[in-house]
């Protein structure tokens, strides 16, 4: 794909401004974004401008009780002062004044003594009245009323962006890490570009990534310094030449590699420190993989898949990630210009093709991946089930064919070999005999002997490969060498890939291709040597993709600095024996609104239980024994309509489900989801109710 011009107009700002707005001419927006504090927070909390809250909710007095107590305290204080002032309590409260002041001031003889007596008596009255007022304020909790109701209305909202630090060593806009290394010229150039509005968040993240490569010894410091000094914010560009995406659909913070997908609801079921905080996802969470389950229209694509894919594309431009997005054509996965490679399976105008064998050169490796794609969903889902028989059958054909032709067979050629047609097998045998390949000849002979045996899986493989041998896919999966199809082995570099699956009439073929991409991705992640680059597969619809081998592959992604984002309409699309292992292999689990109770039961089991405080309230009727008591009870019954009762409260610790199946099915509002998170370091966040529209 030819590189597009850099600095395209209309690109998003570096900070969290409105989507599509250009950066401020003087760079104030970028500097404010860069200097905004990002304190450490719990997993999933949006750290940009976050204000931490205490772990436990402070006890607050109900508003009615608070105001009534304040009014009563004021009236009591007023009454006490009135009694003192009018001498209803005697003159004892004036004794301290008479003891501490001269007697002449009480009966002044001169104007100066009269003035002194007036001033001192007034001060004494103020002192006594102020003491009564402070006592009433403390008893009536007036400061709490001020803090809860009056101060927030008078206080101006604090700005989100931060001010410049006191010293240049603390200012990230001064690039102190470069100055400490002696690269003063490069640091000055970057500082100037930041102040003049020539730098964006992607530029900052990209140059920071390049500096990390220098520190790790993967890049020369001299080359880095020369490039930055010469080009400034445009140095170390992505191979596409892009410095931003055509448009952004969600807020991003590339300094923490987070994308904001919603706001944690202010709900009693959420821990207090999470309530009202933004929820952000990053590689530290996606590295444990994420599974989202919800019906159509619940917000899986728009609220989760597209923001995550957009974030990973931005990180790819910064040289920190490689992303492969798989979904149906027209599913709303972002603009085509936001990707380096777009593979549109079944579209005649597609500029790229997909490698059926994932760039493998070993027949056994290619057979294992292809067998998983073709018949992985037919494998026994119980523990121990695998597709080794299918892998053996394919290897018995792929190995001899590659030995003769120097390539793997195309889809029609592989279909003919799996069908057991005499012509293709006879030609392959003759070519092996002419080449003297006795070992491969034995492989082919074993395949021919199995053709006539009952239970041979070759027929099933032939039926499945026939789904790809259709006129709509005639120009795809080329193995002749005339074209260079895309291989997932390219995820060892920062690349943005989108694969559009065929629509209408090719549902089975789409599932085969999705399983093929997932199998190739897990195999390529395990074979990577440089794992500093985060690799992620985003699969918009994982229906028919979850197999025993897929679950094992997802479990291995975490150790390879990679992850997967999968969505399902229902867990019924996963075989029952695989649901537990799948939810156990996934670190981040999301249940969206509209979940069925039986799906909610699986989530409730994996989220487990917690100890909580249960309050049992019991009302006991009071029986009066005296005539006066009976009369009072009768009068109270006439007025209130109820018999007098005594309330008993019992508090005990019980173990309950964090979220029950009924709550997940009926208690999650529209546009919300319940999400639990796990980081690659093992930190956990409990299931949180999240507003995906916030």
């Amino acid at each position: 794909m030819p590189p597009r011009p850099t600095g395209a107009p209309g690109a998003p700002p570096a900070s969290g401004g409105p989507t599509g707005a250009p950066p401020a001419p003087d760079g104030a927006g970028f500097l404010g974004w860069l200097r905004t504090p990002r304190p450490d927070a719990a997993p999933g909390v949006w750290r940009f401008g976050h204000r931490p809250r205490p772990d436990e909710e402070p006890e607050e007095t109900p508003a009615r009780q608070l105001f009534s107590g304040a009014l009563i305290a004021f009236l009591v204080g007023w009454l006490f002062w009135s009694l003192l002032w009018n001498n209803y309590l005697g003159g004892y409260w004036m004794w301290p004044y008479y003891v501490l002041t001269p007697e002449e001031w009480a009966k002044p003889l001169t104007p100066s003594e009269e003035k002194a007596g007036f001033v001192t008596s007034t001060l004494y009255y103020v002192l006594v009245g102020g003491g009564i007022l402070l006592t009433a304020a403390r008893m009536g909790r007036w400061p709490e009323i001020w803090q809860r109701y009056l101060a927030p209305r008078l206080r101006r909202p604090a700005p989100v962006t931060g001010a410049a630090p006191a010293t240049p060593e603390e200012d990230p806009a001064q690039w102190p890490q470069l100055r400490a290394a002696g690269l003063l010229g490069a640091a000055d150039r970057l500082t100037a570009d930041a102040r003049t509005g020539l730098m964006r968040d992607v530029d900052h993240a990209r140059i920071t990534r390049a500096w990390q490569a220098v520190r790790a010894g993967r890049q020369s410091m001299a080359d880095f310094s020369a490039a930055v000094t010469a080009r400034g914010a445009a140095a170390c560009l992505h191979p596409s030449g892009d410095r931003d995406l055509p448009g952004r659909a969600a807020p991003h913070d590339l300094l923490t590699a987070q994308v904001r997908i919603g706001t944690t609801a202010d709900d009693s079921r959420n821990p207090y420190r999470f309530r009202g905080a933004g929820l952000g996802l990053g590689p530290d969470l996606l590295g444990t993989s994420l599974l989202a389950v919800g019906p159509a229209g619940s917000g899986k694509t728009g609220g989760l898949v597209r923001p995550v894919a957009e974030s990973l594309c931005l990180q790819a431009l910064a040289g920190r990630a490689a992303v492969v997005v798989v979904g149906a054509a027209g599913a709303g996965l972002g603009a085509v210009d936001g990707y380096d490679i777009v593979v549109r399976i079944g579209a005649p105008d597609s500029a790229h093709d997909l490698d059926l064998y994932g760039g493998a050169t070993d027949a056994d490796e290619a057979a294992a991946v292809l067998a998983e794609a073709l018949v992985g969903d037919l494998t026994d889902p119980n523990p121990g089930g695998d597709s080794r028989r299918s892998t053996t059958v394919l290897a018995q054909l792929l190995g001899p064919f590659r030995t003769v032709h120097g390539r793997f067979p195309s889809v029609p050629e592989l279909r003919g070999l799996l069908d057991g047609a005499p012509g293709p097998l006879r030609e392959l045998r003759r070519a092996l005999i002419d080449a003297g390949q006795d070992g491969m000849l034995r492989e082919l002979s074993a395949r021919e002997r199995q053709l006539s045996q009952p239970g041979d899986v070759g027929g099933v493989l032939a039926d499945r490969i026939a789904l790809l041998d259709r006129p709509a896919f005639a120009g795809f999966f080329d193995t002749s060498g005339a074209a260079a199809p895309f291989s997932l082995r390219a995820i060892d570099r920062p690349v943005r890939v989108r694969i559009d699956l065929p629509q209408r009439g090719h549902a089975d073929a789409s599932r085969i291709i999705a399983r093929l991409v997932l199998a190739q991705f897990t195999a390529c992640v395990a074979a990577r040597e440089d794992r500093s680059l985060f690799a992620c597969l985003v699969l918009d619809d994982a229906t028919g993709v979850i197999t025993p081998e897929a679950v094992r592959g997802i479990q291995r992604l975490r150790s390879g600095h990679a992850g997967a984002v999968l969505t399902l309409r229902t867990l019924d699309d996963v075989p029952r024996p695989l649901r537990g292992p799948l939810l156990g292999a996934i670190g981040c689990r999301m249940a969206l609104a509209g979940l069925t109770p039986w799906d909610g039961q699986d989530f409730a089991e994996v989220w487990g239980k917690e100890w909580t405080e249960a309050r049992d309230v019991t009302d006991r009727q009071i029986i009066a024994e005296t005539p006066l008591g009976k009369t009072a009870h009768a009068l109270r019954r006439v007025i209130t309509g109820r018999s007098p009762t005594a309330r008993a409260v019992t508090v005990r610790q019980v173990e309950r489900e964090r979220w029950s199946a009924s709550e997940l099915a009926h208690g999650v509002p529209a546009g919300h989801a319940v999400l639990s998170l796990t980081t690659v370091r093992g930190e956990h966040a409990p299931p949180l109710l999240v507003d995906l529209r916030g």
Side-chain angles (χ1 to χ4, degrees), residues 37-120:
R38 295 165 175 85
D40 293 334
V45 173
W46 175 255
R47 293 172 52 192
F48 179 82
H50 173 63
R51 295 182 177 88
R53 304 178 70 177
D55 294 340
E56 299 294 335
E57 181 178 7
E59 295 185 3
E60 289 187 352
T61 306
R64 179 177 179 181
Q65 179 180 347
L66 186 64
F67 280 103
S68 61
L71 179 60
I72 292 174
F74 173 75
L75 294 177
V76 170
W78 187 10
L79 175 62
F80 186 68
W81 172 256
S82 178
L83 294 177
L84 291 179
W85 184 260
N86 293 292
N87 291 325
Y88 285 107
L89 300 180
Y92 303 102
W93 67 288
M94 293 295 297
W95 283 0
Y97 173 76
Y98 294 140
V99 170
L100 297 176
T101 57
E103 295 181 359
E104 293 81 3
W105 292 2
K107 298 178 180 180
L109 300 176
T110 63
S112 60
E113 293 176 348
E114 182 178 0
K115 184 176 181 181
F118 174 77
V119 171
T120 55

Side-chain angles (χ1 to χ4, degrees), residues 328-329 472-473 501-507 510:
F473 310 131
L501 301 177
Q503 288 181 309
R504 298 191 181 93
H506 299 286
S510 296

